[in-house]
């Protein structure tokens, strides 16, 4: 890696991500490491210029207060220790942080997206050699940027697989095939696996189990497709930094697991390729722009790996899943008409596994509620609620209860993150 780097050692702070982003905003690359990383590992990083020990309220693990080793303190690199007694952000102010990074550590402001891309291309070519890479191409931002980066690095050695697991948004499988196969000329294999996934998920209520099943089944599909091909040794994934943070670290409890973090089978036969795993969401978009991807792809709606499987809450049924898909399509259509497409970061519908009494067609109904969620965020670590005009909500509500089968009620989720996560499961 060409760029200078500042290492942040996680000693229980809840502000590691914010600190890393602040340093990157100065043009200096920064990564977060566990508190018990060895001094030898740190010294082996030729581009490392300084270390920040970032303490905080989660500084006790298994009853023992954690700290970096004495060897880290004496490793010969500039070290600063921040001790946060509470969860409040009490890091160095920007002036002091800038002085530490540039005056003490002698860093150069040489981290930018083009340098990141150049480094990743070099690393990918070294890792992959003349082998082939299999990529799950959902058409979402993360997998699209990974695809573009791999195409730049290894060209036709990339084989994209689009799995229709029945949990995609309305019209999405057709759009993915059109954009990537027909317009971008990618090598794309289409796998219709709807029945396979939904049969596996039948009766499964626990969201963590659903995520594990979906993640594991994805890998099985890839393995089957790989057997039809020669020389597939690598599996590419669109893992990004918030996925890793939310899946838990040594000092942070799991918020939710991600299908691409810890949900992979133990007997996985591929070596993983994860070129975006240290980027925040806005940085992934910047990477896509730098790679020349069109705006409607780079800024398209974020979509979870398990798809509508985590928006059809509880045990997935085909009729309720279809109601989620149809209500989501209505929401997206009306947001686009109202000029909110691209202005609101993420918006979607979900349906809980519960029913309520209502009146429909002059008769008693007992049907599902649809919940609308619309949030704004920069890095997906925190999120605020979009304040939607009442007239627009009335229009969306009328369409959903009229056009979507099995629904008699519409609700709007007003919960920011925290306390609520962006998704419900």
């Amino acid at each position: 890696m060409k760029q200078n780097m500042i290492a942040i050692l996680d000693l229980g702070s809840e502000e590691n991500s914010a600190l890393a982003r602040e340093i990157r905003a100065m043009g200096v690359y920064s990564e977060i490491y566990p508190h018990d990383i060895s001094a030898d590992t740190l010294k082996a990083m030729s581009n490392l210029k300084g270390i920040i020990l970032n303490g905080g309220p989660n500084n006790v693990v298994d009853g023992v207060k954690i700290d970096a080793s004495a060897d880290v303190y004496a490793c010969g690199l500039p070290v600063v220790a921040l001790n946060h007694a509470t969860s409040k952000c009490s890091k160095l102010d920007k002036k002091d942080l800038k002085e530490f990074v540039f005056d003490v550590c002698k860093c150069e402001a040489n981290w930018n997206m083009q340098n990141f891309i150049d480094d990743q291309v070099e690393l990918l070519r070294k890792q992959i050699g003349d082998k082939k890479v299999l990529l799950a191409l959902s058409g979402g931002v993360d997998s699209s940027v990974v695809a573009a980066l791999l195409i730049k690095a290894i060209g036709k050695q990339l084989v994209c697989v689009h799995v229709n697991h029945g949990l995609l948004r309305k019209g999405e499988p057709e759009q993915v095939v059109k954009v990537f196969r027909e317009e971008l000329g990618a090598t794309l294999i289409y796998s219709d696996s709807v029945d396979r996934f939904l049969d596996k998920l039948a009766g499964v209520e626990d969201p963590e189990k659903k995520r594990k099943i979906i993640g594991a089944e994805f890998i099985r599909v890839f393995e089957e497709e790989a057997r039809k091909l020669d020389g597939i040794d690598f599996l590419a994934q669109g893992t990004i930094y918030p996925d890793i943070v939310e899946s838990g670290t040594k000092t942070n409890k799991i918020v939710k697991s991600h299908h691409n973090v810890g949900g992979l089978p133990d007997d996985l036969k591929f070596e993983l390729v994860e070129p975006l795993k240290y980027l925040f969401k806005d940085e992934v978009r910047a990477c896509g722009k730098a790679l020349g991807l069109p705006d409607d792809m780079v800024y398209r709606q974020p979509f979870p790996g398990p798809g509508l499987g985590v928006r059809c809450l509880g045990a997935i049924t085909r009729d309720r899943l279809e109601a989620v898909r149809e209500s989501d399509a209505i929401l997206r259509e009306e947001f686009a008409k109202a000029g909110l497409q691209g202005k609101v970061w993420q918006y979607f519908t979900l349906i809980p596994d519960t029913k309520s009494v209502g009146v429909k067609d002059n008769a008693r109904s007992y049907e599902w509620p649809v919940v609308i969620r619309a949030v704004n965020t920069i890095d997906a670590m925190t999120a605020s609620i979009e304040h939607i005009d009442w007239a627009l909500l009335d229009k969306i509500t009328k369409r959903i209860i009229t056009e979507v089968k099995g629904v008699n009620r519409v609700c709007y989720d007003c919960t920011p993150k925290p306390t609520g996560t962006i998704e419900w499961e």
Side-chain angles (χ1 to χ4, degrees):
M1 181 177 286
K2 303 177 182 69
Q3 299 96 327
N4 295 162
M5 183 174 75
I6 298 293
I8 298 170
L9 304 197
D10 178 15
L11 270 66
S13 174
E14 295 177 346
E15 301 295 334
N16 295 314
S17 299
L19 182 58
R21 289 179 55 76
E22 198 165 316
I23 295 170
R24 292 185 189 189
M26 296 177 182
V28 177
Y29 187 64
S30 180
E31 281 187 11
I32 301 166
Y33 292 95
H35 70 280
D36 55 359
I37 187 171
S38 71
D40 288 342
T41 300
L42 290 169
K43 285 189 286 188
M45 301 176 188
S46 59
N47 60 325
L48 184 61
K49 297 295 185 179
I51 301 167
I52 297 177
L53 307 177
N54 208 27
N58 302 317
N59 65 345
V60 176
V61 177
D62 297 329
V64 179
K65 188 173 182 179
I66 60 174
D67 197 356
S69 70
D71 288 342
V72 168
Y73 283 93
C75 70
L77 290 167
V79 177
V80 64
L82 307 182
N83 296 303
H84 306 157
T86 70
S87 62
K88 299 292 184 182
C89 181
S90 357
K91 55 183 179 292
L92 291 172
D93 63 40
K94 289 187 178 181
K95 181 176 180 293
D96 290 339
L97 182 60
K98 189 174 182 179
E99 287 180 356
F100 177 73
V101 171
F102 293 109
D103 297 340
V104 178
C105 300
K106 307 298 183 186
C107 288
E108 295 180 26
N110 58 5
W111 189 74
N112 55 54
M113 205 45 67
Q114 192 55 56
N115 282 344
F116 172 82
I117 290 170
D118 292 343
D119 282 345
Q120 287 302 318
V121 166
E122 183 180 328
L123 291 170
L124 287 167
R125 288 173 177 167
K126 185 181 295 184
Q127 179 185 9
I128 296 163
D130 60 355
K131 304 295 184 182
K132 291 181 180 178
V133 180
L134 199 59
L135 169 66
L137 182 55
S138 69
V141 177
D142 302 336
S143 65
S144 297
V145 175
V146 169
L149 192 53
L150 284 166
I151 289 169
K152 183 176 179 66
I154 60 170
K156 292 295 185 180
Q157 291 169 241
L158 174 66
V159 179
C160 301
V161 177
H162 178 62
V163 178
N164 183 2
H165 49 22
L167 305 171
L168 297 170
R169 289 171 291 198
K170 188 174 183 178
E172 208 157 41
E174 297 83 0
Q175 184 187 37
V176 168
V177 172
K178 181 178 183 295
V179 170
F180 287 94
R181 179 184 288 167
E182 298 175 15
E183 296 179 9
L184 299 182
T187 302
L188 177 65
I189 297 170
Y190 176 82
S191 174
D192 185 349
S193 305
V194 175
D195 291 338
R196 173 174 177 167
F197 275 81
L198 296 186
D199 289 347
K200 285 269 188 182
L201 291 164
V204 179
E205 297 182 1
D206 182 80
E208 288 299 296
K209 289 182 180 178
K210 288 198 292 186
R211 288 175 179 273
K212 298 291 186 184
I213 289 170
I214 293 167
E217 203 62 23
F218 255 109
I219 301 303
R220 297 308 177 204
V221 173
F222 295 151
E223 286 180 330
E224 291 169 14
E225 295 297 340
R227 291 190 196 106
K228 304 172 188 176
L229 304 165
D230 293 325
I232 298 288
D233 288 284
F234 296 90
L235 174 67
Q237 291 196 140
T239 308
I240 65 174
Y241 192 68
D243 297 340
I244 295 172
V245 172
E246 289 194 336
S247 292
T249 62
K250 292 182 180 180
T251 65
N252 290 306
K253 295 179 180 178
I254 292 177
V255 177
K256 61 183 177 183
S257 68
H258 289 260
H259 73 287
N260 51 357
V261 183
L264 303 176
D266 293 334
D267 60 346
L268 180 66
K269 295 181 175 62
F270 301 118
E271 182 179 337
L272 290 180
V273 174
E274 299 175 299
L276 307 180
K277 67 180 179 180
Y278 292 118
L279 293 188
F280 294 97
K281 194 74 179 189
D282 59 315
E283 293 171 334
V284 174
R285 296 187 194 281
C287 183
K289 285 285 290 180
L291 286 165
L293 289 177
D295 283 358
D296 59 353
M297 186 178 295
V298 171
Y299 296 107
R300 73 182 303 173
Q301 279 274 291
F303 196 53
L308 299 182
V310 293
R311 295 176 183 172
C312 185
L313 308 187
I316 297 170
T317 60
R318 293 184 185 235
D319 51 358
R320 192 154 51 89
L321 178 62
E322 195 58 29
V324 174
R325 197 182 336 265
E326 290 298 324
S327 61
D328 179 77
I330 290 171
L331 177 68
R332 289 189 289 128
E333 182 181 331
E334 292 299 332
F335 265 43
K337 288 180 182 177
L340 294 176
Q341 186 176 20
K343 294 182 179 179
V344 181
W345 188 80
Q346 188 171 13
Y347 43 95
F348 57 89
T349 64
L350 57 95
I351 298 183
D353 188 11
T354 186
K355 292 184 176 182
S356 68
V357 176
V359 178
K360 212 169 184 182
D361 299 326
N362 297 316
R364 179 184 184 275
S365 69
Y366 191 58
E367 297 177 307
W368 304 302
V370 166
V371 179
I372 297 173
R373 186 145 173 79
V375 299
N376 290 306
T377 183
I378 294 176
D379 57 13
M381 302 303 294
T382 62
S384 60
I385 301 304
E386 176 70 16
H387 295 167
I388 304 300
D389 180 75
W390 279 110
L392 176 58
L393 281 177
D394 285 344
K395 185 179 181 183
I396 293 169
T397 298
K398 184 177 180 179
R399 282 198 62 188
I400 288 176
I401 60 179
T402 302
E403 300 175 28
V404 181
K405 185 178 179 181
V407 169
N408 67 357
R409 197 178 291 267
V410 176
C411 307
Y412 192 73
D413 184 353
C414 298
T415 314
K417 176 182 180 180
T419 57
T421 52
I422 292 174
E423 300 287 342
W424 273 40
E425 286 191 339

